[in-house]
Amino acid sequence: MEIQELKVKASQIRMDLLTIIHRAKTGHTGGSLSNTDILTALYYEIMNIDPANSKWEDRDRFIASKGHSVESLWCVLADRGFFPREELETYSQFGTRLIGHPNNKVPGIEMNTGALGHGLPISVGMALAAKRDGRSYRVFCLMGDGEQAEGSNWEAAMAGAHYKLDNLVGIIDRNRLQISGSTEEVMGLEPLDEKWAAFGWNVVSINGNDMEELLQAFRAVPEVPGKPTLIMANTTKGKGVSFAENVPAWHHHVPNDEELALALSELSASIEELTQKGQVQ
Amino acid sequence: MNKIPNRQVICDTLLELAKDDRDIMVLASDSRGSAAMAPFANTFPEQFVEVGIAEQNLVGMAAGLAHSGKKPFVTSPACFLSMRSIEQIKVDVAYSRTNVKLIGISGGVSYGALGMSHHSVQDIAVARAIPGLAIVLPADRHETKKLTEALVKYDGGVYVRIGRNPVEDVYESDDYPFEIGKAVIVQEGSDITIIAAGETVRVALDAAQALAESGVSARVINMHTIKPLDEEAIIAAARETGRIITVEEHSIYGGLGAAVAEVVVQHHPVPMKVLGIPDEPAIAGKSAEVFRHYGLTGDNIKQVAFELINK
């Protein structure tokens, strides 16, 4: 897809996720909005996947370690055709497959996640399996920044470097906010990129809400042979919705009717602007 | 007396099986020595993964490997494997339905002198509460071999607990039917039933022998699989022998005795006695000394049996 089309897609995904959260009256709005651009780049342009054959052996793997931001993922998977779009209406309803965290009963979800600090160890295992089997698939693991306080990440960081897994890509959605406030107030992380580099990873810092920078960073992997890559995606929590941006309460605040209408109108306007600028139909 | 510890039997058996099955993998957390897995690591380096002292990552990586079609055997001291990585066992293994075999070595009070941090007498209780996770304690080297062969064919998460030292044989050979989930009556009897698992099966047999000399016919059930539990064998024992003693190298809370009691009270209530490790600070000592201290001996079980029978 062209850059402009990807940007439009990201705005549409944001509209979708706000709609399902509003309908269900539950969800993690801020973190889903901040990582929408990352998912859009991966699922529409970067990852080698086949929605019609979701278990294809050589597919690239995506693990949502920050499982609570699942709403953006549900919307992307539905839009890519892993399951019918209408199923989004069941999100968080009794008996649904589309629960509030990734659930591998749903095509496109590799593993159940939600407990923080689990995704990277699993991803290391997957990447190691690919190496041992001589397969070429890559493993993308999206982590939260608040999640970095979980020690298991660092156990896995060591292992990823030890086994020289250059087919492994860790992504940190560095939006600098967690449920109780700023990450630096809750449990200081900085200098986070230096920590990952010290653990033996190739670290790339980008604006994680900039589609060009995301594509460039993902396409460059592996930049350093024999090293796993950590993409420090600096993002804005609540991205795309003016009144939610950088507001800690929007971690799991649910938009009311007025807020939804305002948010959708802002996103529509951004799509219109993009469409005019890029002559995207 | 047998000189081969069960951990070595697992390694020997996997060495044989891995020749023809390149998907079998062994993971260790700086524990290849204590798990007796060094020969496997040396023979099949491409099927061995060292993760260092990091039990959460150990289980997470195993789940990732299993997701990619591997058959990972995680080998780590039971005390750490069962408790330190229990959330990974719950989410990455059981909930995600990955084919990971968790081998808790030096379980129970195997690390007798090392104290409470190294005793693993809560592991069965913790593992039992995880939906979909099977739990197996092999009784001797023959059963350990049969179990290891069964594990390679079994699709799903299993927690296995074995001890550290060689144990006296329960079986004369491995020529008997073994099936995960199916109890084995190792001695028929009609007056009382002693149900044991793992290394206490031998102790239960000793008790049954002593009881026989006093004219009491004791049935001994090797409940090697604690989950899924063979309820039929328990209900039959309750109905046919009227009294049940359970013997386990585990806290009296949440282990074999608790599991058996849950079945007995709901299906055929009979007098029961649960023998195990009481709810108190751990005592250190050699494994046999600790067993003696808590009455996990043939003599004591015989006494308890008389008390139940004369009630």
Side-chain angles (χ1 to χ4, degrees):
Chain A
M1 279 170 97
E2 296 292 321
I3 289 278
Q4 296 298 97
E5 284 177 284
L6 288 167
K7 290 180 181 175
V8 168
K9 185 58 80 180
S11 289
Q12 287 166 343
I13 295 296
R14 286 188 165 97
M15 294 172 78
D16 287 346
L17 76 89
L18 287 163
T19 305
I20 68 169
I21 288 174
H22 173 260
R23 186 191 293 120
K25 297 196 169 26
T26 180
H28 288 87
T29 311
S32 276
L33 288 168
S34 71
N35 69 31
T36 298
D37 297 306
I38 297 168
L39 295 187
T40 304
L42 286 174
Y43 275 90
Y44 292 88
E45 194 59 29
I46 297 296
M47 286 202 303
N48 211 4
I49 47 170
D50 179 2
N53 185 8
S54 62
K55 298 245 159 98
W56 169 45
E57 270 191 340
D58 284 319
R59 71 192 181 278
D60 286 336
R61 273 73 162 164
F62 176 78
I63 299 294
S65 194
K66 51 168 295 192
H68 50 284
S69 309
V70 75
E71 295 83 3
S72 46
L73 186 55
W74 289 147
C75 294
V76 165
L77 291 177
D79 190 65
R80 283 295 269 113
F82 282 93
F83 56 84
R85 244 188 104 78
E86 304 82 68
E87 196 171 345
L88 285 175
E89 290 171 23
T90 72
Y91 162 68
S92 269
Q93 303 301 306
F94 179 76
T96 185
R97 297 191 297 178
L98 306 187
I99 60 175
H101 285 96
N103 164 20
N104 66 359
K105 285 186 180 145
V106 182
I109 300 291
E110 305 285 353
M111 293 280 283
N112 296 329
T113 50
L116 294 173
H118 286 233
L120 197 62
I122 291 165
S123 302
V124 169
M126 291 176 175
L128 182 61
K131 289 282 180 193
R132 293 271 166 108
D133 286 342
R135 291 186 179 278
S136 60
Y137 64 79
R138 295 188 292 177
V139 184
F140 296 89
C141 177
L142 177 63
M143 296 172 276
D145 50 5
E147 182 182 4
Q148 299 301 300
E150 289 281 7
S152 47
N153 291 313
W154 301 99
E155 295 182 2
M158 274 188 253
H162 180 85
Y163 284 105
K164 305 187 186 334
L165 301 177
D166 54 15
N167 54 346
L168 173 63
V169 184
I171 307 151
I172 296 178
D173 181 13
R174 184 76 174 111
N175 58 39
R176 297 181 177 269
L177 289 178
Q178 58 191 105
I179 196 164
S180 301
S182 132
T183 54
E184 297 315 292
E185 281 166 13
V186 175
M187 181 50 63
L189 297 171
E190 293 297 352
L192 190 53
D193 50 357
E194 288 177 29
K195 286 175 183 166
W196 279 90
F199 272 74
W201 288 54
N202 173 51
V203 181
V204 183
S205 277
I206 58 164
N207 176 349
N209 293 129
D210 183 304
M211 197 56 73
E212 286 91 342
E213 290 191 29
L214 281 165
L215 295 180
Q216 195 180 1
F218 286 133
R219 283 180 180 143
V221 174
E223 225 172 32
V224 182
K227 273 193 178 192
T229 294
L230 188 280
I231 294 178
M232 191 68 69
N234 292 290
T235 60
T236 299
K237 202 155 179 172
K239 180 72 182 177
V241 177
S242 61
F243 51 90
E245 288 190 357
N246 282 319
V247 179
W250 276 90
H251 178 84
H252 52 11
H253 187 77
V254 174
N256 60 28
D257 293 350
E258 293 75 31
E259 287 165 337
L260 178 70
L262 185 53
L264 294 183
S265 72
E266 286 184 13
L267 289 161
S268 297
S270 77
I271 291 173
E272 203 164 315
E273 194 185 323
L274 284 163
T275 311
Q276 282 168 2
K277 208 190 320 179
Q279 281 93 48
V280 176
Q281 296 306 310
Chain B
M1 170 68 186
N2 160 46
K3 297 269 188 250
I4 308 170
N6 291 341
R7 55 202 169 108
Q8 189 185 323
V9 175
I10 293 183
C11 181
D12 292 346
T13 312
L14 288 178
L15 270 172
E16 273 305 307
L17 297 170
K19 279 182 204 159
D20 300 320
D21 190 343
R22 309 305 279 186
D23 286 333
I24 292 175
M25 294 190 85
V26 170
L27 288 85
S29 52
D30 196 24
S31 52
R32 76 183 79 180
S34 44
M37 285 295 167
F40 190 97
N42 296 334
T43 311
F44 298 111
E46 282 298 301
Q47 287 166 264
F48 180 78
V49 181
E50 175 62 73
V51 309
I53 306 164
E55 290 81 9
Q56 297 184 76
N57 188 41
L58 174 70
V59 175
M61 274 180 68
L65 287 162
H67 179 275
S68 311
K70 300 295 180 190
K71 299 172 186 168
F73 281 70
V74 170
T75 60
S76 181
C79 50
F80 310 127
L81 177 60
S82 63
M83 308 285 272
R84 201 140 188 171
S85 42
I86 192 64
E87 195 182 86
Q88 280 74 16
I89 295 172
K90 173 184 140 185
V91 179
D92 308 349
V93 177
Y95 180 30
S96 287
R97 298 178 296 281
T98 53
N99 185 22
V100 177
K101 305 300 181 291
L102 303 146
I103 315 293
I105 51 162
S106 301
V109 295
S110 291
Y111 284 135
L114 300 186
M116 188 153 172
S117 65
H118 282 61
H119 290 188
S120 183
V121 298
Q122 299 83 21
D123 53 345
I124 310 300
V126 168
R128 273 187 69 215
I130 310 281
L133 185 71
I135 305 168
V136 186
L137 280 71
D140 71 357
R141 58 180 163 148
H142 301 299
E143 192 155 87
T144 301
K145 179 167 186 281
K146 293 181 81 75
L147 167 63
T148 309
E149 290 163 351
L151 288 174
V152 172
K153 294 183 190 136
Y154 185 96
D155 186 22
V158 183
Y159 175 67
V160 173
R161 192 239 263 182
I162 57 171
R164 179 170 182 77
N165 299 313
V167 285
E168 210 180 316
D169 288 343
V170 167
Y171 296 99
E172 286 174 13
S173 72
D174 58 7
D175 184 23
Y176 74 98
F178 175 86
E179 190 186 328
I180 291 172
K182 190 96 185 106
V184 182
I185 296 179
V186 285
Q187 181 168 312
E188 289 291 353
S190 53
D191 297 329
I192 190 164
T193 298
I194 307 169
I195 303 180
E199 297 186 14
T200 57
V201 175
R202 184 62 251 175
V203 180
L205 275 174
D206 293 343
Q209 222 151 24
L211 283 163
E213 286 161 16
S214 307
V216 174
S217 164
R219 178 180 301 182
V220 177
I221 295 180
N222 172 11
M223 193 62 74
H224 51 69
T225 304
I226 295 181
K227 199 176 178 186
L229 191 63
D230 188 343
E231 299 195 356
E232 278 179 28
I234 296 168
I235 296 165
R239 190 181 297 126
E240 290 160 19
T241 73
R243 305 161 188 92
I244 292 175
I245 299 174
T246 59
V247 192
E248 63 192 304
E249 190 180 351
H250 184 271
S251 164
I252 52 169
Y253 293 150
L256 171 68
V260 170
E262 287 160 14
V263 175
V264 169
V265 295
Q266 293 182 85
H267 295 277
H268 195 94
V270 296
M272 253 195 84
K273 183 78 184 173
V274 174
L275 300 181
I277 313 282
D279 192 42
E280 60 185 40
I283 190 156
K286 287 196 184 72
S287 185
E289 293 169 332
V290 176
F291 269 49
R292 258 201 305 282
H293 176 78
Y294 292 122
L296 302 174
T297 60
D299 283 347
N300 184 58
I301 296 167
K302 180 183 166 188
Q303 278 309 115
V304 171
F306 277 132
E307 286 162 25
L308 264 188
I309 288 168
N310 296 326
K311 231 177 188 176

